[in-house]
Amino acid sequence: MKPKHLTFAAAVAALAAATLPALGQGRQDGEEQPLPTDVLVEVDAQESNVFRVGVPDLLGAAPHKSEGGGIVRNDFTLMPGYTVVGPRQLRHDVESEGMGLDRGAWLPHRVDGVIKGRVEETGGRLHVEMRFFWLARGTAPAFEKSYDGAPSELRSFMHDFGNEVLRVVTGTPGPFGTKITYAKRVGPGRKDVYCAHMDGHDPLRITNGRGIAMLPTFGADGHVWFTRLTETGMYITRSGMRGRRVIEGNGLNMSPAVCDGRIYFTSSRDGNSEIYSAAMDGTDVRRLTNEPAIDVSPACVPNGKIAFVSARHGTPQIWMMDRDGRNPRRITFRGSHNQTPAVCPNPNKPLLAFTGRDDGTLDIFTVNYATQEYTRVTQAQGMNKDPAWSPDCRILAFTSNRRGQAGVYLASPKGFNQHRVVEGEAETVDWRY
C-alpha cells in the first residue's frame, strides 16, 4: 500500500528524480537535429528598425515630473524596437517649449516620436496631461490623454499612456503595467514565490518563507498558484489560502497551469509522472496521459489545447494535446532535451518558447510550430531557462544565473534588448495575461 504522504527527504529525492534532466535516459543516437547554434541577427528584423522616441521629464510639479518621465523612459527601454532619447541627450530648452512641439529642435535627435506631459498637484491629488507627437504626422499630437488621481497612481497613468502610444504606432497596445510571478531562493533549503510588475517594481512576497514554494503561475482571477514542498509531501495551493492544500495526493503534485477554469498539473499519484486536470477547488481529478515515459510541465495553449513535456519518443520534447488528453502530437523536432514550454497567448501566432539543453547548459529557444522555424534567444550568458510570454507576445521573460547578474530578464523573441528586471537566484517565471 502506498503511504499517504512522502517524508520530506523522500519528497526531495523524488523531485530530483522527476526533474527533466533525468528524462534523457532514452534514445541517444542523435536522430533529432541540433538546435540553432547561434543567435540569428536579421538585417530586416523589427529590432533593427528602431523607433526613436524622445521622452523628457514631465513639466510641472516636483518630484512627480521626473518620476513620471522616468517611468515612461524605462517602459520604452524594455520594449524591443524602441530607442529612448532622454533629458541628458537633449540640446534645447524643453521647459520653454511647453506642451507643444518645436519640430526643428527635435530633428537633430533623429526622433520619430516625442512623449510629453504636465503634472500638477492640488490638495494631494494629481492632474496629468500627456501628449504623443508622431513627427511623420506633423506637429499636432497624434494622441493625448488626461488622468486624475492620487500620487500613488502616477505609475499606472504612465504605463497606460505608454500602452496607448504603442497602440497608435503598431495597432496593438503594450504590456506595460502587467505583472510577473517567480520563485526565488531566500535561504538554505528555502524558496518563496513573489509577484512584481513586469519592470520589477514593487515585488510582493506571496509565501511565508517556510519550506519550498516554487513553480508559480497566474490564474484568471489574478491569484498566484504554486507548488509547495513540505515534510509531509508536495501539493498545489494558491495565494490567499494560507497554505491550505487544493490539490494533493500520493507522490508528487506540482506544476499547476490554470486554463479556462480548470487546473492542469503533474502528478505521480498513480506511480508514474502524468498530466492531470481538476476543478478549481481540487475536485473532479481526471488523468489525461497514460504513458510509460514521464509526462510533465503542462502549459495553456490559446486554441483549447495543452502543451507539455514528454519523453515518450526517447528524449524530452514538447508535445500538445486536447484538454481532455486526446490527439497528442509532438511539437519540437530539434534538440535532444527540451522542457518548460510557454505558448504565445495570441491564437494567431503559433509561437512556442522553451528551454533547450545545448553544449552542457540551458538556453532559451522559440519555434513557430506551424512552420518548424527555430530561433535561439540566449547564448554564452550562463544558464537561461523557464521562458514566459508577455500578453502581446512582444517580449520574453526568463531566468538566468549569468555570473554576478542572476535574476529575471526580459528580451525580444529574437534575443535582442536583454534587461534584468529582478535580481537574485530566481526561477520559473510566469506572466499574467
Side-chain angles (χ1 to χ4, degrees):
M1 180 179 295
K2 298 178 183 177
K4 184 175 182 179
H5 296 296
L6 296 173
T7 66
F8 185 70
V12 173
L15 176 61
T19 53
L20 288 170
L23 289 176
Q25 297 174 353
R27 182 175 57 203
Q28 298 294 327
D29 56 11
E31 289 186 16
E32 289 84 4
Q33 297 181 23
L35 289 163
T37 57
D38 296 297
V39 174
L40 181 64
V41 178
E42 299 181 11
V43 174
D44 294 328
Q46 179 184 359
E47 292 86 349
S48 300
N49 301 322
V50 172
F51 189 99
R52 291 174 60 86
V53 57
V55 188
D57 284 343
L58 308 188
L59 304 174
H64 308 303
K65 62 179 185 178
S66 59
E67 178 187 1
I71 294 167
V72 176
R73 286 191 292 273
N74 188 61
D75 280 348
F76 279 89
T77 297
L78 297 176
M79 177 57 59
Y82 293 81
T83 294
V84 174
V85 178
R88 294 183 180 180
Q89 300 160 277
L90 300 181
R91 306 170 190 169
H92 67 285
D93 186 354
V94 178
E95 292 275 345
S96 64
E97 188 183 29
M99 289 289 286
L101 182 78
D102 183 344
R103 185 184 181 91
W106 285 96
L107 284 178
H109 299 291
R110 305 189 313 279
V111 296
D112 301 286
V114 176
I115 296 175
K116 305 187 77 172
R118 182 187 301 276
V119 55
E120 302 294 346
E121 182 173 7
T122 304
R125 303 284 291 178
L126 298 185
H127 176 71
V128 185
E129 297 179 6
M130 299 294 297
R131 293 180 181 177
F132 168 60
F133 299 87
W134 195 347
L135 271 66
R137 297 186 178 182
T139 58
F143 180 76
E144 53 188 319
K145 190 172 182 179
S146 297
Y147 303 88
D148 292 281
S152 60
E153 296 179 88
L154 179 62
R155 179 171 290 274
S156 64
F157 296 159
M158 298 299 97
H159 291 324
D160 178 76
F161 193 77
N163 289 334
E164 289 296 329
V165 170
L166 289 177
R167 180 185 59 79
V168 170
V169 174
T170 69
T172 303
F176 305 141
T178 56
K179 292 186 176 182
I180 58 173
T181 183
Y182 51 92
K184 189 174 180 182
R185 187 180 301 276
V186 294
R190 293 172 54 193
K191 293 179 183 177
D192 271 328
V193 168
Y194 289 77
C195 181
H197 290 273
M198 62 159 279
D199 58 4
H201 179 75
D202 196 23
L204 173 67
R205 192 166 77 175
I206 301 296
T207 56
N208 58 16
R210 294 192 295 270
I212 297 175
M214 57 189 176
L215 303 170
T217 188
F218 284 107
D221 57 0
H223 277 297
V224 176
W225 292 79
F226 58 94
T227 304
R228 182 174 286 284
L229 175 61
T230 71
E231 293 182 352
T232 57
M234 179 180 290
Y235 61 92
I236 294 170
T237 184
R238 66 162 173 81
S239 56
M241 295 289 290
R242 297 185 177 181
R244 294 195 299 275
R245 303 170 184 229
V246 178
I247 296 176
E248 59 181 336
N250 296 335
L252 309 178
N253 298 277
M254 61 183 188
S255 305
V258 182
C259 313
D260 297 330
R262 285 189 70 83
I263 307 168
Y264 296 79
F265 62 99
T266 303
S267 178
S268 61
R269 62 185 60 208
D270 294 319
N272 189 45
S273 183
E274 305 284 358
I275 307 298
Y276 294 75
S277 75
M280 298 300 292
D281 61 359
T283 62
D284 189 29
V285 175
R286 305 174 188 175
R287 181 169 174 171
L288 304 182
T289 61
N290 189 4
E291 287 285 332
I294 291 175
D295 296 325
V296 295
S297 302
C300 305
V301 181
N303 59 2
K305 297 184 181 297
I306 292 292
F308 63 104
V309 178
S310 180
R312 61 187 67 185
H313 279 185
T315 62
Q317 299 292 339
I318 313 300
W319 289 64
M320 282 188 189
M321 63 181 174
D322 296 342
R323 291 187 183 172
D324 59 3
R326 297 179 183 178
N327 301 316
R329 65 185 180 99
R330 184 172 165 178
I331 297 300
T332 56
F333 293 88
R334 296 183 63 175
S336 61
H337 191 114
N338 300 327
Q339 61 188 63
T340 64
V343 181
C344 165
N346 185 336
N348 297 317
K349 295 182 178 181
L351 295 174
L352 168 79
F354 63 96
T355 305
R357 174 175 287 177
D358 181 67
D359 296 331
T361 190
L362 299 176
D363 275 305
I364 307 299
F365 299 83
T366 67
V367 59
N368 182 315
Y369 52 87
T371 65
Q372 282 295 299
E373 178 183 1
Y374 290 77
T375 300
R376 185 170 193 142
V377 178
T378 62
Q379 185 176 36
Q381 299 159 299
M383 183 180 295
N384 305 276
K385 58 182 183 176
D386 306 334
W389 291 96
S390 64
D392 57 3
C393 303
R394 286 182 170 115
I395 306 176
L396 279 171
F398 59 92
T399 62
S400 179
N401 72 346
R402 53 194 69 181
R403 180 176 295 181
Q405 294 183 314
V408 176
Y409 281 75
L410 305 184
S412 83
K414 298 288 188 181
F416 294 85
N417 206 49
Q418 295 191 24
H419 293 275
R420 183 171 63 164
V421 294
V422 173
E423 298 180 3
E425 296 182 46
E427 59 184 39
T428 56
V429 63
D430 189 39
W431 207 314
R432 182 177 180 181
Y433 303 146

